[in-house]
Amino acid sequence: MSVLDGALQVSRALPLPGALARSWFVVGRNITAFRRAWLLLVSGVAEPVFYLFSIGIGLGALVRTVTTDAGSEVPYAVFVAPALLAVAAMNGAIADSTYNVFFKLKHARLYDAILATPAGPRDIAVGEITWSLLRGSLYSALFLVVAVVAGVVQSWWAVLALPGAVLIGLAFGAVGMFATTYMKTWQHFEYINLVIQPMFLFSATFFPLSTYPGPVQWLVQITPLYQGVALERALMLGDVEWSLLGHAAYLVAMGLVGVVGTSRRIERLLLT
């Protein structure tokens, strides 16, 4: 049975709305495309793993311990690992919802061919966002396994870190694809890098929020990656409190805005 046949069975078996059911054909197509390139698919987890061992463990030999914003004193590698898990989810979602979507939309004209099937523009949008979310979740799952083996996971609350990574993937995948629909050339992706790189470095990824100056703290706290970092760090360190629901709500709201915006843009681009 092919992957597309499996997607068809899923769409028939689950009580999904029509658009959501048809979007699984897009997911199935992407799975088929990567079936013989699975090494390329999972290679994206290498970057956060390298950061974990080079900075988290290497620099950790000098820094030793860090006092978190919750007041806990933990080894530096333990402090950095949850942030890199959030980065893995972000990178996986962004990689697929930006460069890959742009190529399919502007060069391969893949979506024009999909319109010849029962799937519509909104099915394409939901399917591609779902696929980017799955890719980000895969990176996060692999990274979490490495973190457990490396001994930098200290709480059983970490079992919820993967669902947290799904929210991060949803937020960045949806907004990333929404932004991609406005791109005209490959050079325009420098704007995305201009946003992603500072977030990666300054979202309390490598240092506690309290080390930043007051105005900078406020700026960091409104960034989407900080929401993911704070959520994952609290779960993996066991500092669980009700404020985590605020971080989760931020990511869900960002994802919903991205899904709605992408659906409308894809429909306008493909049908006009």
Side-chain angles (χ1 to χ4, degrees), residues 5-226:
D5 290 335
L8 178 60
Q9 290 190 5
V10 168
S11 65
R12 289 174 174 173
L14 298 179
L16 300 173
L20 187 57
R22 290 189 297 271
S23 68
W24 278 100
F25 286 100
V26 179
V27 176
R29 180 265 165 201
N30 289 333
I31 294 175
T32 301
F34 277 100
R35 185 173 54 185
R36 300 185 184 279
W38 61 269
L39 188 59
L40 177 63
L41 179 66
V42 302
S43 63
V45 76
E47 182 180 0
V49 169
F50 288 154
Y51 274 111
L52 175 63
F53 286 98
S54 63
I55 295 180
I57 296 178
L59 185 59
L62 300 175
V63 177
R64 298 295 182 182
T65 61
V66 174
T67 301
T68 69
D69 295 309
S72 304
E73 186 172 320
V74 298
Y76 186 66
V78 173
F79 174 81
V80 171
L84 294 178
L85 175 62
V87 170
M90 177 187 72
N91 286 347
I94 285 292
D96 222 291
S97 65
T98 55
Y99 298 100
N100 288 353
V101 165
F102 184 79
F103 176 77
K104 296 172 188 175
L105 179 64
K106 300 292 186 179
H107 296 278
R109 299 292 181 180
L110 175 67
Y111 301 143
D112 294 326
I114 291 178
L115 290 182
T117 72
R122 300 199 175 198
D123 306 324
I124 294 171
V126 174
E128 288 291 5
I129 292 171
T130 301
W131 170 246
S132 69
L133 186 156
L134 292 175
R135 187 169 180 175
S137 300
L138 174 63
Y139 286 3
S140 301
L142 293 175
F143 181 86
L144 187 58
V145 170
V146 173
V148 171
V149 173
V152 294
V153 177
Q154 295 192 336
S155 172
W156 284 104
W157 282 103
V159 298
L160 296 179
L162 191 55
V166 172
L167 297 182
I168 298 170
L170 170 64
F172 281 97
V175 172
M177 187 171 176
F178 184 34
T180 300
T181 61
Y182 287 95
M183 301 297 174
K184 302 298 183 182
T185 67
W186 291 106
Q187 286 72 24
H188 287 167
F189 284 96
E190 293 300 325
Y191 294 118
I192 291 181
N193 293 331
L194 190 62
V195 173
I196 294 298
Q197 286 301 322
M199 275 201 298
F200 167 62
L201 294 172
F202 300 108
S203 293
T205 313
F206 301 107
F207 305 100
L209 182 65
S210 58
T211 61
Y212 297 101
V216 178
Q217 288 186 27
W218 176 84
L219 182 62
V220 168
Q221 286 179 298
I222 64 174
T223 61
L225 182 57
Y226 172 78

Side-chain angles (χ1 to χ4, degrees), residues 220-239:
V220 168
Q221 286 179 298
I222 64 174
T223 61
L225 182 57
Y226 172 78
Q227 309 299 320
V229 169
L231 178 63
E232 299 289 30
R233 184 166 285 147
L235 291 173
M236 291 180 67
L237 297 184
D239 297 325

Side-chain angles (χ1 to χ4, degrees), residues 245-264:
L245 294 178
H247 299 307
Y250 180 112
L251 296 171
V252 170
M254 179 176 169
L256 291 177
V257 169
V259 169
V260 173
T262 301
S263 298
R264 292 177 177 176

